[in-house]
Amino acid sequence: LFQIAKVRRLLTKDTVIQPPGDVTATEGGQVTLDCQFDAVNTNNLYLFWYKHELHGFPKFMLGLFSFRSTNATGYEERFDAHLDKDSKSVPLTIQRVQLSDSAVYYCALKPTVTTGYTDIQRYRVSERM
């Protein structure tokens, strides 16, 4: 079961927006976690996805920029996101879902990151028996 919880700090005009409700996935299937944003300047975007496992710390997964994207080591094959300026979205797709994908997923928008504040969207990913 993919449970979605909202965490937002509205400290700037740039924000990320999360849809309400749960997202479910089966092992071996595919799931997409939505992340929409509202930014004053869409010509110089920096959006990021992080994975936060239980008893760990958030780990950088991938970043999407107006001019390129990058995936961290270990997240190149099953994890993909694309930046759509027109719909102002940056959905994360996880292919061949595994139990080890259980975590909290964060979508973050820069430039708020550089000021020490982050506007984030959080997805809690957990197993349901």
Side-chain angles (χ1 to χ4, degrees):
L1 173 67
F2 292 75
Q3 298 174 322
I4 301 171
K6 187 186 296 185
V7 175
R8 289 207 313 204
R9 297 181 194 170
L10 300 177
L11 300 174
T12 68
K13 294 180 182 178
D14 295 342
T15 60
V16 291
I17 304 151
Q18 101 181 32
D22 294 342
V23 177
T24 59
T26 57
E27 190 168 6
Q30 175 179 305
V31 67
T32 299
L33 306 179
D34 292 324
C35 177
Q36 292 191 315
F37 60 89
D38 189 13
V40 175
N41 182 1
T42 59
N43 293 322
N44 195 22
L45 292 170
Y46 295 87
L47 290 135
F48 305 92
W49 279 98
Y50 294 88
K51 181 180 180 182
H52 188 178
E53 295 177 289
L54 187 63
H55 304 299
F57 55 90
K59 295 178 184 175
F60 170 75
M61 296 173 57
L62 52 92
L64 296 110
F65 317 105
S66 298
F67 49 91
R68 66 179 177 93
S69 64
T70 183
N71 285 52
T73 302
Y75 297 102
E76 303 95 345
E77 294 191 19
R78 297 185 307 110
F79 299 86
D80 184 50
H82 65 279
L83 175 60
D84 186 336
K85 288 186 191 180
D86 294 330
S87 66
K88 294 189 174 183
S89 66
V90 58
L92 172 68
T93 300
I94 306 172
Q95 299 177 21
R96 301 181 304 280
V97 173
Q98 303 171 2
L99 185 56
S100 62
D101 295 330
S102 295
V104 174
Y105 290 83
Y106 296 94
C107 175
L109 171 65
K110 189 176 175 182
T112 53
V113 173
T114 59
T115 63
Y117 301 103
T118 306
D119 192 21
I120 61 174
Q121 168 181 323
R122 184 176 86 172
Y123 290 89
R124 181 178 306 254
V125 180
S126 60
E127 179 183 15
R128 185 175 178 105
M129 303 298 274

